[in-house]
Amino acid sequence: MSEKKRRRTEAGPLAASASLKKSQRSGSHAQGLRKQLKPDAEILASVREMYDAAQSAASSSKALTLSDLSLSAACREVSDRDVASVQLAIERAVLAMARSILAGRGFSFDVPSRAASNQLYVPELDRIVLRDKSSSRPFASLSTVRKATITARVLSLVYAVLRRDIHVTKRDLFYTDVKLFQDQSQSDAVLDDVSCMLGCTRSSLHVVASEKGVVVGRLVFTDDGDRIDCTKMGIGGKAIPPNIDRVGNLESDALFILLVEKDAAFMRLAEDRFYNRFPCIIVTAKGQPDVATRLFLRRMKTELKLPVLALVDSDPYGLKILSVYMCGSKNMSYDSSNLTTPDIKWLGVRPSDLDKYRVPEQCRLPMTEQDVKAGKDLLEEDFVKRNGGWVKELDMMVKTRQKAEIQALSSFGFQYLTEVYLPLKLQQRDWL
Amino acid sequence: MSEKKRRRTEAGPLAASASLKKSQRSGSHAQGLRKQLKPDAEILASVREMYDAAQSAASSSKALTLSDLSLSAACREVSDRDVASVQLAIERAVLAMARSILAGRGFSFDVPSRAASNQLYVPELDRIVLRDKSSSRPFASLSTVRKATITARVLSLVYAVLRRDIHVTKRDLFYTDVKLFQDQSQSDAVLDDVSCMLGCTRSSLHVVASEKGVVVGRLVFTDDGDRIDCTKMGIGGKAIPPNIDRVGNLESDALFILLVEKDAAFMRLAEDRFYNRFPCIIVTAKGQPDVATRLFLRRMKTELKLPVLALVDSDPYGLKILSVYMCGSKNMSYDSSNLTTPDIKWLGVRPSDLDKYRVPEQCRLPMTEQDVKAGKDLLEEDFVKRNGGWVKELDMMVKTRQKAEIQALSSFGFQYLTEVYLPLKLQQRDWL
């Protein structure tokens, strides 16, 4: 503890003169904001309200599923299924194949279409699902014999993986039969087909993506049976496991989840043990969200019923990252209900923060033409339009043509993020 | 345990027929190799010999340092120094500046040159160091006033970081004074200058790089005071901390360190708990080695005196990754003694393995012209030339113009890597 305290002591003479010089420039407003901070107990009270709202919302309103809606078109989603039931589904498919062959009718797979034309954004669910179009993939046809063979092979490989109860990567799968698959995009595509055919997620097939996310804070869970206490994971944090089905027994006394876009901000929060002052779970995918981190976030949000606050760069890319967490990517739309975490609050850094916190001009960056176009495209997206606050912020970004990284806050001091910016945000309930 | 066992049980009917089909093709030799495996106790005996050799080598021969060699030219390296001593060094530098100014002589920094012309490969140390050339950076000169100012500013910022006893990233540092630094390459370059001036590593300045490495296996250490048991880190493993100076109390009953190039192989090893069968520490930087992982590997190797075996792709890039771990990158040559881990053994996948294990033709990839050039360039490198075995392997790679990924071994079964390939490698002491 003494070490922790030591870190908080004020800086020495050289540093003091440096910070003096700085405050004479643009930092005086920033330091003024520091004085607005109320005692932690009061800040926590406003956080607790958000927490209570999330808890009651989660328990009162059962999460909507496709079957709750009376959609004009039949739609399709996949769900997590256990090893035995996926095995059973494969055995049934193979049995049906065998019967069909014995009856002299050859065999054919019925494969749901994953094309964009077969995708549908469902506002009530706030995610993309598949319509019911599907196509036949007969073995006895020159145009589909190869794909039918690959499909049979992937079914057999997945079955072998499930029997051993291990996990493999897409690349592993590809290498088991390079001659047949020829290149990895072919086995990858059929793997997604098989997910849709069997009605289960890709994780249920035990084919996993490599992970790059890390987590730290008020969370305890088991990874393959090992109990992990994320308050005791130092500064590096715990690497998020690639196989979500081995994650279990989530426990937490956190009031919220803090989703961070970048590594460096994560390190600052972890080193300052921000979660000890404001009970939270801190998670990052270090940039573009990977599947493992998205699954893990969703799992935390649904099981622990915690509100999620996002800290991203103030640029279109930061918002795109939010959209991947919230609405999924079009590529995996059939799996959207398991991959997406609805209702993430945009805490910061928001375009309006740049003036509110008086981020110095030289720490803001001009947006490129491409940035501006990306911003305008986002304004057309459903998930942005539904949120008036977001539209306003994005409008401001596109008009001012300025962007800024989370790190721009370092211009007020290395620990400004954890000591002033975030506490003040929480105190003022300043999320959208 | 029952779960662990279940995973090892043989595959079901579908899988069996699949593996039968495969063995009729190219897998029969691969399965034959499985029969060559001796009981684990015998394999462990050969591993233990390697371990004993590494232990006695480490304790008998004190690691050479620059001062042990009578080099014709004076050379320069930096070393890890604690917070107090770096602070003292900065205070002394500032005091000297002040005295010089008061004496009417203005002030100037004496900055060691980090240019290629000032670098020297020292075969006895097997790393690159700096020669003694340095240049003067006076404040009262139009050509150096800017750089002198930046240097003074970086000294002051580093001092502030050390006083707070926190860690920051290069990007944080840049953002504290964008007006002065203009772009990050300028503050980064001066940061390296400051390292050389003060004779300490960049980690000692508490400026860290973002981490992406993970570790799992027979290792216990503390990360910022938290005790981490890497046998209880599930499949995801423990993220390697960005700040090596917060890592301490390393303990291990491992016989070797297994350095893995890629994520997917790491996952296979972690899920199969390879370290329980053969006591080892498994570490990966997920591709190109980052500074944090290199520091961590070196720390393990020197403190635990363990041999290091590397598992990389059989291509020039895999060997380049080895060279970064072993000899460092030219960019950070002044810091090479702290970043490099000498004497890493090349376990696999080696060009000769492709035929020895009869990796199917379709799992090998043709080398591009660029690959071949990279291979030929490597043959000219000192660290390759010193090892006859490596030259032979690399020669073979360039001549056959074939490369292969670690994952190519999946063509013999998903767990071939952990169940046959690696145990056989260890049994036959097949490392170079």
Side-chain angles (χ1 to χ4, degrees), chain A residues 305-355:
Chain A
K305 304 180 180 63
L306 293 177
V308 182
L309 302 177
L311 179 65
V312 296
D313 286 346
S314 176
D315 60 23
Y317 191 70
L319 215 58
K320 274 220 164 146
I321 284 181
L322 266 192
S323 92
V324 172
Y325 281 114
M326 288 177 69
C327 315
S329 63
K330 300 223 163 167
N331 189 30
M332 298 275 285
S333 59
Y334 68 89
D335 201 353
S336 64
S337 67
N338 302 285
L339 282 171
T340 56
T341 305
D343 196 26
I344 298 178
K345 305 290 187 199
W346 189 9
L347 186 70
V349 176
R350 299 202 308 266
S352 63
D353 288 342
L354 303 192
D355 282 343

Side-chain angles (χ1 to χ4, degrees), chain B residues 177-192:
Chain B
D177 205 339
V178 177
K179 208 170 204 161
L180 174 63
F181 299 140
Q182 290 176 356
D183 74 89
Q184 198 187 326
S185 64
Q186 301 199 23
S187 51
D188 285 359
V190 169
L191 188 69
D192 283 336

Side-chain angles (χ1 to χ4, degrees), chain A residues 29-72:
Chain A
H29 178 73
Q31 303 313 321
L33 289 177
R34 189 188 288 266
K35 289 200 193 97
Q36 289 183 22
L37 279 177
K38 295 181 186 162
D40 282 2
E42 284 183 51
I43 301 179
L44 279 172
S46 71
V47 174
R48 189 167 294 278
E49 265 182 50
M50 167 182 67
Y51 168 82
D52 290 338
Q55 290 277 323
S56 66
S59 48
S60 69
S61 72
K62 196 180 131 287
L64 278 178
T65 66
L66 261 180
S67 52
D68 298 327
L69 305 169
S70 49
L71 291 173
S72 54

